[in-house]
Amino acid sequence: KNQVEQSPQSLIILEGKNCTLQCNYTVSPFSNLRWYKQDTGRGPVSLTIMTFSENTKSNGRYTATLDADTKQSSLHITASQLSDSASYICVVQNSNSGYALNFGKGTSLLVTP
Amino acid sequence: GAGVSQTPSNKVTEKGKYVELRCDPISGHTALYWYRQSLGQGPEFLIYFQGTGAADDSGLPNDRFFAVRPEGSVSTLKIQRTERGDSAVYLCASSLMGTGSPGANVLTFGAGSRLTVL
């Protein structure tokens, strides 16, 4: 069973609207959680990285939250743009692993005019 | 270079052939990773290099897969006797360090090499 589960699997929203993507994880012990954006045909690009002590981090119109107690994270996109259409991948690192990352399958977001 | 460069961007080959995929990481990054990504899935770990050595190759699916990084910079992923199931996007990533603080191992990914085995 994947240790990082994302929902929804896919999402379609109108340009200008907000949306929230969810990530639940079972990775333990926890080190950090990352959100990546992956455009079609491109490699993933880092949006945010949060450690245990951080519960929110913003990067422009992207705001990530982390609840380490419930092992949940969300990525909120404000005032969506067509260029936000991409796959958003949640990645969790185990503090024992040193380098190994656990990837979710991603949420595919489509922003339409 | 400014980013992680992967070549070729696309490779179509026939079943049973040998394939090499190249990764040129960010200059100065000691850690290099190979991942494989199938359609609709997240990246799947293959191998991790710290410098010239493969610190963890537990993700390589079988002995047809091999990777090298002889000078601690460019890496080559080698696939022998390719099978249709090998078709995927092969992603390379590098980070300043493989371990330590999260900020030291933020991965920068290349655009990937799309392999299609007919």
Side-chain angles (χ1 to χ4, degrees):
Chain A
K1 187 181 187 303
N2 199 348
Q3 296 188 69
V4 180
E5 298 284 350
Q6 292 187 243
S7 63
Q9 183 176 356
S10 61
L11 182 62
I12 302 174
I13 62 173
L14 291 174
E15 185 180 12
K17 298 295 186 182
N18 304 336
C19 68
T20 300
L21 314 181
Q22 300 290 345
C23 175
N24 296 341
Y25 63 92
T26 58
V27 176
S28 181
F30 174 85
S31 173
N32 60 83
L33 185 145
R34 309 155 188 232
W35 282 95
Y36 279 84
K37 177 187 178 187
Q38 186 173 20
D39 293 310
T40 300
R42 308 293 295 273
V45 174
S46 180
L47 293 176
T48 64
I49 179 170
M50 290 184 292
T51 59
F52 183 87
S53 60
E54 298 172 296
N55 55 24
T56 187
K57 183 166 281 190
S58 293
N59 179 355
R61 293 179 297 102
Y62 301 102
T63 299
T65 65
L66 172 66
D67 186 333
D69 291 330
T70 62
K71 298 186 178 181
Q72 296 180 326
S73 175
S74 65
L75 181 69
H76 187 74
I77 305 175
T78 304
S80 61
Q81 300 177 359
L82 298 180
S83 60
D84 293 332
S85 296
S87 178
Y88 292 84
I89 303 174
C90 176
V91 186
V92 182
Q93 184 170 20
N94 180 313
S95 60
N96 288 338
S97 71
Y99 59 88
L101 302 174
N102 298 276
F103 286 78
K105 294 184 178 181
T107 292
S108 178
L109 174 66
L110 176 63
V111 180
T112 63
Chain B
V4 177
S5 175
Q6 291 189 245
T7 55
S9 56
N10 276 287
K11 176 70 176 178
V12 179
T13 190
E14 294 179 342
K15 181 175 178 292
K17 297 294 187 182
Y18 170 78
V19 167
E20 287 191 353
L21 307 176
R22 175 189 167 107
C23 173
D24 200 340
I26 291 175
S27 178
H29 279 194
T30 63
L32 184 145
Y33 314 76
W34 283 100
Y35 289 86
R36 179 168 69 176
Q37 188 174 26
S38 301
L39 191 63
Q41 303 293 315
E44 171 194 13
F45 172 76
L46 295 177
I47 186 169
Y48 156 62
F49 285 91
Q50 183 60 251
T52 61
D56 183 352
D57 63 358
S58 63
L60 295 178
N62 51 60
D63 61 6
R64 295 187 296 104
F65 288 74
F66 189 70
V68 296
R69 194 186 186 199
E71 298 178 356
S73 178
V74 172
S75 175
T76 304
L77 178 65
K78 307 180 181 189
I79 310 174
Q80 298 177 320
R81 305 182 304 280
T82 52
E83 299 178 356
R84 292 192 180 87
D86 298 336
S87 297
V89 174
Y90 289 82
L91 292 168
C92 176
S94 70
S95 65
L96 187 62
M97 298 170 61
T99 57
S101 67
N105 72 349
V106 175
L107 271 63
T108 300
F109 283 85
S113 292
R114 179 177 297 279
L115 175 65
T116 303
V117 182
L118 302 177

